[in-house]
Amino acid sequence: MKILLLGAGGFIGVNLTERLLKDGVHEVTAVDIYKDKLNEIEDPNLKYVELDICTDEAALEQAVIDHDVIVDLVAFANPALYVEDPLGVFELNFIENLKIVELCSKHSKRIVQFSTCEVYGRTSASTVGWDPKDHPQPFVEDETPLIMGPIKNHRWIYASAKQLLERVLHAYGIQKGLNYSIIRPFNFVGPRIDFLPSEQAGNPRVFSHFMNGLLYGTPMQLVDGGGNFRAYTYIDDAVDCIVRILENKDGKCDRQIFNIGKPDNELTIAELAELMKKIFNEHFRQDGDPDPEIVDVSAEEFYGEGYEDCDRRIANIDKARELLGWEPEYSTYDVIFKTMEYFVNKHRAKQGEAPVEA
Ligand code: NAD
Ligand code: UGA
């Protein structure tokens, strides 16, 4: 298959590119404005195209025409940006993404659209004042209502833009026959996620902040106490599912939405901080390494005004199990250990030190 990966230079894109090329049966065109992570991959079936999808519509259209399936990963995906630049998030994650949908419809191409588990928003338990801890509510793709917070909490612009894009795809499907599949990732983690804030400016997702603390000694900050839950999915498990969706055996994924997650990997953010510290101390600590404090910080101090958190996110993955025969394998411990090992080795290589012994 000739696959066009838009946003291929990011965390999911680079891991997906590598996996698609491994089998030697697909040709991948990797489109991004950023190439550093893709530089690690050398393969005759990989073509990199440096393209800003917002500025060169003609090149984008030609790329759509030239491929069998279009995978759209382009988005701003870090919560700090939802608070800092809600309009920028709307423009890229909805307006620019909509153009890709329109081109796929115009040229009758199948699109695989990356959405987010954030479209589910808050649990209904939390909105009636129940403690989500006592009310696990797995999110089901075609059943669960999508609950966003008030407009003044503009963090929800990301989830709202993604939700509207999903609704537009559905409408294109029923009115114009567009063939699409939608993916809702639940907190993927693994090698090449984001960046460390001591090495690059910006405000990445939580794993990178905590890793930064362990390697550079900055405090590990728990936003509003770190009591909210996440369930982390290892990138290799996720990519395995994404490839099945892309290959779309017997058309089983036509006009389907899929949760991709590992429901039993749940922990609170405070527990994540403790687990990362424990793993670091037991497996990676060397003389002279820092020992960061775990401290509380308010959401307003950390993100600014307009933040609100998703309290609990549990994926129901029955659809992926039944239609794709997929089952994620990596436990919480393994997800965190393997991702930490990647960052520790990268850091050691930078210092001219030997990698962690297997
Ligand atoms: P990422 O930020 O690592 O990757 C996004 C890529 O898009 C980046 O490489 C960026 O350079 C590229 N990009 C941005 N603007 C562009 C433009 N104008 N033209 C071309 N390329 C551009 O994010 P990710 O974690 O790999 O996420 C990929 C997709 O999956 C996003 O749509 C995100 O919303 C969604 N998602 C990811 C997760 C997760 O767990 N990582 C969870 C939910 C949803
Ligand atoms: C992420 C992003 O929105 C997207 O990548 C994606 O849509 C989705 O969720 C996903 O990965 O499935 P979120 O999980 O809220 O959102 O992003 P993180 O920055 O990783 O935050 C997780 C939790 O840690 C939040 O409760 C946040 O408040 C907290 N946090 C973050 C801290 O306690 N300390 C930090 O230093 C950073």
Short mmCIF file of all heavy atoms in Angstrom, two decimals, residues 77 79 82 116-118 155 158 185-188 204-206 209-210 221-223 228 230 232 269 302-303 307 309 313, ligand 2:
data_model
loop_
_atom_site.label_atom_id
_atom_site.label_comp_id
_atom_site.label_asym_id
_atom_site.label_seq_id
_atom_site.Cartn_x
_atom_site.Cartn_y
_atom_site.Cartn_z
N ALA A 77 -0.70 18.74 20.39
CA ALA A 77 -1.19 17.69 21.28
C ALA A 77 -0.71 17.81 22.72
O ALA A 77 -0.79 16.86 23.48
CB ALA A 77 -0.80 16.32 20.70
N PRO A 79 -1.29 19.70 26.35
CA PRO A 79 -2.29 20.52 27.06
C PRO A 79 -1.86 21.96 27.35
O PRO A 79 -2.69 22.87 27.33
CB PRO A 79 -2.54 19.74 28.35
CG PRO A 79 -2.26 18.32 27.98
CD PRO A 79 -1.15 18.38 26.97
N TYR A 82 -3.09 24.16 24.74
CA TYR A 82 -4.54 24.39 24.67
C TYR A 82 -4.91 25.62 25.50
O TYR A 82 -5.84 26.35 25.18
CB TYR A 82 -5.38 23.20 25.16
CG TYR A 82 -4.90 21.81 24.77
CD1 TYR A 82 -5.33 20.68 25.49
CD2 TYR A 82 -4.04 21.60 23.69
CE1 TYR A 82 -4.91 19.40 25.14
CE2 TYR A 82 -3.62 20.33 23.36
CZ TYR A 82 -4.04 19.24 24.09
OH TYR A 82 -3.61 17.98 23.76
N THR A 116 -8.79 11.67 19.71
CA THR A 116 -8.23 11.59 21.06
C THR A 116 -9.25 11.02 22.04
O THR A 116 -10.46 11.19 21.85
CB THR A 116 -7.80 12.99 21.55
OG1 THR A 116 -7.42 12.89 22.93
CG2 THR A 116 -8.91 14.01 21.44
N CYS A 117 -8.75 10.39 23.10
CA CYS A 117 -9.65 9.97 24.18
C CYS A 117 -10.23 11.18 24.89
O CYS A 117 -11.22 11.06 25.63
CB CYS A 117 -8.90 9.09 25.17
SG CYS A 117 -7.53 9.93 25.97
N GLU A 118 -9.61 12.35 24.68
CA GLU A 118 -10.15 13.55 25.34
C GLU A 118 -11.54 13.92 24.84
O GLU A 118 -12.22 14.72 25.47
CB GLU A 118 -9.20 14.75 25.14
CG GLU A 118 -7.98 14.65 26.03
CD GLU A 118 -7.37 16.01 26.36
OE1 GLU A 118 -8.06 17.03 26.24
OE2 GLU A 118 -6.20 16.02 26.74
N ARG A 155 -9.21 24.85 27.90
CA ARG A 155 -8.51 23.59 27.66
C ARG A 155 -9.31 22.69 26.73
O ARG A 155 -8.76 21.91 25.94
CB ARG A 155 -8.30 22.87 29.00
CG ARG A 155 -7.54 21.57 28.87
CD ARG A 155 -8.40 20.35 29.14
NE ARG A 155 -7.77 19.11 28.73
CZ ARG A 155 -6.80 18.48 29.41
NH1 ARG A 155 -6.37 18.97 30.53
NH2 ARG A 155 -6.28 17.37 28.96
N TYR A 158 -9.26 21.79 22.49
CA TYR A 158 -8.62 20.64 21.80
C TYR A 158 -9.63 19.52 21.61
O TYR A 158 -9.83 19.03 20.49
CB TYR A 158 -7.43 20.18 22.65
CG TYR A 158 -6.78 18.87 22.23
CD1 TYR A 158 -5.92 18.81 21.15
CD2 TYR A 158 -7.01 17.70 22.96
CE1 TYR A 158 -5.31 17.61 20.79
CE2 TYR A 158 -6.40 16.50 22.61
CZ TYR A 158 -5.55 16.46 21.53
OH TYR A 158 -4.94 15.27 21.18
N PRO A 185 -6.66 7.61 20.72
CA PRO A 185 -5.58 7.07 21.56
C PRO A 185 -5.80 7.43 23.04
O PRO A 185 -6.24 8.52 23.36
CB PRO A 185 -4.32 7.79 21.05
CG PRO A 185 -4.71 8.46 19.77
CD PRO A 185 -6.19 8.71 19.88
N PHE A 186 -5.45 6.48 23.90
CA PHE A 186 -5.47 6.72 25.35
C PHE A 186 -4.04 6.74 25.85
O PHE A 186 -3.42 5.70 26.06
CB PHE A 186 -6.26 5.61 26.07
CG PHE A 186 -7.75 5.74 25.96
CD1 PHE A 186 -8.39 5.58 24.75
CD2 PHE A 186 -8.52 6.03 27.08
CE1 PHE A 186 -9.77 5.70 24.63
CE2 PHE A 186 -9.90 6.16 26.99
CZ PHE A 186 -10.53 6.00 25.76
N ASN A 187 -3.50 7.94 26.01
CA ASN A 187 -2.18 8.16 26.60
C ASN A 187 -1.11 7.14 26.19
O ASN A 187 -0.69 6.31 27.00
CB ASN A 187 -2.28 8.25 28.13
CG ASN A 187 -2.96 9.54 28.55
OD1 ASN A 187 -4.19 9.60 28.66
ND2 ASN A 187 -2.19 10.59 28.78
N PHE A 188 -0.67 7.24 24.95
CA PHE A 188 0.45 6.42 24.50
C PHE A 188 1.75 6.98 25.09
O PHE A 188 1.93 8.20 25.16
CB PHE A 188 0.60 6.46 22.97
CG PHE A 188 -0.59 5.97 22.19
CD1 PHE A 188 -0.65 6.17 20.81
CD2 PHE A 188 -1.64 5.30 22.80
CE1 PHE A 188 -1.73 5.71 20.07
CE2 PHE A 188 -2.73 4.84 22.06
CZ PHE A 188 -2.77 5.05 20.68
N PRO A 204 6.02 20.05 27.65
CA PRO A 204 5.55 18.77 27.09
C PRO A 204 4.54 18.06 28.00
O PRO A 204 4.10 18.62 28.99
CB PRO A 204 6.83 17.96 26.97
CG PRO A 204 7.67 18.45 28.11
CD PRO A 204 7.34 19.91 28.27
N ARG A 205 4.23 16.80 27.66
CA ARG A 205 3.31 16.02 28.49
C ARG A 205 4.02 15.50 29.74
O ARG A 205 5.23 15.57 29.85
CB ARG A 205 2.71 14.89 27.64
CG ARG A 205 1.67 15.43 26.68
CD ARG A 205 1.26 14.44 25.60
NE ARG A 205 2.23 14.39 24.53
CZ ARG A 205 1.97 13.92 23.29
NH1 ARG A 205 0.77 13.48 22.99
NH2 ARG A 205 2.92 13.89 22.37
N VAL A 206 3.23 14.96 30.67
CA VAL A 206 3.72 14.73 32.02
C VAL A 206 4.95 13.81 32.08
O VAL A 206 5.86 14.04 32.87
CB VAL A 206 2.59 14.20 32.95
CG1 VAL A 206 2.13 12.80 32.56
CG2 VAL A 206 3.00 14.25 34.39
N HIS A 209 8.11 15.69 31.72
CA HIS A 209 8.40 16.56 32.88
C HIS A 209 9.02 15.73 34.01
O HIS A 209 10.01 16.14 34.63
CB HIS A 209 7.11 17.21 33.39
CG HIS A 209 6.77 18.47 32.66
ND1 HIS A 209 7.53 19.61 32.76
CD2 HIS A 209 5.75 18.78 31.83
CE1 HIS A 209 7.00 20.57 32.02
NE2 HIS A 209 5.92 20.08 31.44
N PHE A 210 8.42 14.57 34.29
CA PHE A 210 8.93 13.76 35.40
C PHE A 210 10.33 13.21 35.06
O PHE A 210 11.22 13.16 35.91
CB PHE A 210 7.95 12.62 35.72
CG PHE A 210 6.67 13.09 36.40
CD1 PHE A 210 5.63 12.19 36.67
CD2 PHE A 210 6.49 14.42 36.79
CE1 PHE A 210 4.46 12.61 37.29
CE2 PHE A 210 5.31 14.85 37.40
CZ PHE A 210 4.30 13.94 37.65
N GLN A 221 6.39 18.02 39.58
CA GLN A 221 5.25 18.80 40.08
C GLN A 221 3.94 18.05 39.85
O GLN A 221 3.64 17.64 38.72
CB GLN A 221 5.19 20.14 39.36
CG GLN A 221 6.47 20.97 39.54
CD GLN A 221 6.34 22.32 38.86
OE1 GLN A 221 5.72 23.24 39.38
NE2 GLN A 221 6.91 22.44 37.69
N LEU A 222 3.14 17.93 40.92
CA LEU A 222 1.82 17.30 40.80
C LEU A 222 0.78 18.40 40.69
O LEU A 222 0.56 19.17 41.65
CB LEU A 222 1.53 16.44 42.03
CG LEU A 222 2.52 15.32 42.33
CD1 LEU A 222 2.10 14.56 43.59
CD2 LEU A 222 2.61 14.35 41.14
N VAL A 223 0.15 18.48 39.54
CA VAL A 223 -0.86 19.53 39.32
C VAL A 223 -2.10 19.21 40.17
O VAL A 223 -2.66 18.11 40.06
CB VAL A 223 -1.22 19.62 37.82
CG1 VAL A 223 -2.39 20.57 37.60
CG2 VAL A 223 -0.01 20.05 37.00
N ASN A 228 -5.76 12.78 39.64
CA ASN A 228 -6.51 12.27 38.48
C ASN A 228 -5.81 11.06 37.87
O ASN A 228 -4.61 10.88 38.01
CB ASN A 228 -6.70 13.38 37.44
CG ASN A 228 -7.72 14.40 37.93
OD1 ASN A 228 -8.68 14.04 38.61
ND2 ASN A 228 -7.50 15.67 37.64
N ARG A 230 -4.78 8.27 34.79
CA ARG A 230 -4.51 8.00 33.38
C ARG A 230 -4.18 6.49 33.29
O ARG A 230 -3.77 5.89 34.29
CB ARG A 230 -3.31 8.80 32.86
CG ARG A 230 -3.50 10.33 32.84
CD ARG A 230 -4.56 10.76 31.85
NE ARG A 230 -4.65 12.21 31.71
CZ ARG A 230 -5.45 13.00 32.44
NH1 ARG A 230 -6.23 12.50 33.37
NH2 ARG A 230 -5.47 14.30 32.22
N TYR A 232 -1.74 4.23 30.91
CA TYR A 232 -0.72 4.38 29.86
C TYR A 232 -0.62 3.14 28.98
O TYR A 232 -0.64 2.01 29.45
CB TYR A 232 0.63 4.76 30.49
CG TYR A 232 0.57 6.19 30.96
CD1 TYR A 232 0.30 6.51 32.29
CD2 TYR A 232 0.68 7.24 30.05
CE1 TYR A 232 0.17 7.84 32.70
CE2 TYR A 232 0.56 8.56 30.45
CZ TYR A 232 0.31 8.85 31.77
OH TYR A 232 0.16 10.15 32.17
N ILE A 269 -1.68 10.28 38.76
CA ILE A 269 -0.43 10.97 38.38
C ILE A 269 0.54 10.98 39.57
O ILE A 269 1.76 10.84 39.38
CB ILE A 269 -0.75 12.39 37.87
CG1 ILE A 269 -1.63 12.31 36.61
CG2 ILE A 269 0.51 13.19 37.60
CD1 ILE A 269 -1.02 11.54 35.43
N PHE A 302 0.64 26.23 37.12
CA PHE A 302 1.35 25.39 36.14
C PHE A 302 0.96 25.73 34.71
O PHE A 302 1.82 25.84 33.83
CB PHE A 302 1.08 23.91 36.43
CG PHE A 302 1.96 22.97 35.64
CD1 PHE A 302 3.25 22.67 36.04
CD2 PHE A 302 1.49 22.39 34.46
CE1 PHE A 302 4.07 21.82 35.31
CE2 PHE A 302 2.30 21.54 33.71
CZ PHE A 302 3.58 21.25 34.14
N TYR A 303 -0.35 25.87 34.48
CA TYR A 303 -0.81 26.07 33.09
C TYR A 303 -1.29 27.50 32.82
O TYR A 303 -1.38 27.90 31.66
CB TYR A 303 -2.01 25.15 32.79
CG TYR A 303 -1.67 23.68 32.70
CD1 TYR A 303 -2.05 22.79 33.71
CD2 TYR A 303 -1.01 23.16 31.59
CE1 TYR A 303 -1.77 21.43 33.62
CE2 TYR A 303 -0.72 21.80 31.50
CZ TYR A 303 -1.10 20.94 32.51
OH TYR A 303 -0.82 19.61 32.42
N TYR A 307 -7.54 26.08 32.53
CA TYR A 307 -7.27 24.63 32.54
C TYR A 307 -8.36 23.91 33.34
O TYR A 307 -8.87 24.42 34.33
CB TYR A 307 -5.91 24.37 33.18
CG TYR A 307 -5.51 22.90 33.21
CD1 TYR A 307 -5.08 22.26 32.05
CD2 TYR A 307 -5.56 22.17 34.40
CE1 TYR A 307 -4.72 20.92 32.08
CE2 TYR A 307 -5.18 20.83 34.43
CZ TYR A 307 -4.77 20.21 33.27
OH TYR A 307 -4.40 18.88 33.29
N ASP A 309 -9.16 19.52 34.19
CA ASP A 309 -8.57 18.21 33.87
C ASP A 309 -9.64 17.16 33.58
O ASP A 309 -10.78 17.27 34.01
CB ASP A 309 -7.72 17.76 35.06
CG ASP A 309 -6.61 16.80 34.65
OD1 ASP A 309 -6.55 16.43 33.46
OD2 ASP A 309 -5.81 16.44 35.52
N ARG A 313 -9.91 8.14 32.68
CA ARG A 313 -10.06 7.72 31.28
C ARG A 313 -9.79 6.23 31.17
O ARG A 313 -8.64 5.81 31.17
CB ARG A 313 -9.00 8.38 30.40
CG ARG A 313 -9.01 9.85 30.33
CD ARG A 313 -7.75 10.27 29.57
NE ARG A 313 -7.81 11.68 29.29
CZ ARG A 313 -6.78 12.37 28.85
NH1 ARG A 313 -5.62 11.79 28.62
NH2 ARG A 313 -6.91 13.66 28.61
C1 UGA B 2 -3.02 14.30 26.76
C2 UGA B 2 -2.95 15.26 25.56
O1 UGA B 2 -4.09 16.06 25.48
C3 UGA B 2 -2.85 14.55 24.28
O2 UGA B 2 -1.58 14.07 24.02
C4 UGA B 2 -3.82 13.42 24.12
O3 UGA B 2 -4.97 13.87 23.49
C5 UGA B 2 -4.20 12.68 25.38
O4 UGA B 2 -3.99 13.31 26.58
C6 UGA B 2 -3.54 11.34 25.46
O5 UGA B 2 -2.29 11.29 25.57
O6 UGA B 2 -4.26 10.35 25.42
P1 UGA B 2 -3.13 14.67 29.32
O7 UGA B 2 -3.08 13.21 29.63
O8 UGA B 2 -4.01 15.49 30.19
O9 UGA B 2 -3.55 14.98 27.85
O10 UGA B 2 -1.66 15.28 29.28
P2 UGA B 2 -0.41 15.27 30.24
O11 UGA B 2 0.33 16.53 30.04
O12 UGA B 2 0.38 14.04 30.04
O13 UGA B 2 -1.05 15.32 31.70
C7 UGA B 2 -1.48 14.18 32.41
C8 UGA B 2 -1.83 14.58 33.82
O14 UGA B 2 -0.64 14.97 34.51
C9 UGA B 2 -2.77 15.77 33.98
O15 UGA B 2 -3.58 15.52 35.11
C10 UGA B 2 -1.86 16.95 34.26
O16 UGA B 2 -2.50 17.97 34.97
C11 UGA B 2 -0.79 16.28 35.09
N1 UGA B 2 0.58 16.88 35.07
C12 UGA B 2 1.16 17.29 33.91
C13 UGA B 2 1.29 16.96 36.27
O17 UGA B 2 0.75 16.62 37.36
N2 UGA B 2 2.55 17.43 36.26
C14 UGA B 2 3.18 17.82 35.12
O18 UGA B 2 4.38 18.23 35.19
C15 UGA B 2 2.46 17.75 33.91
#
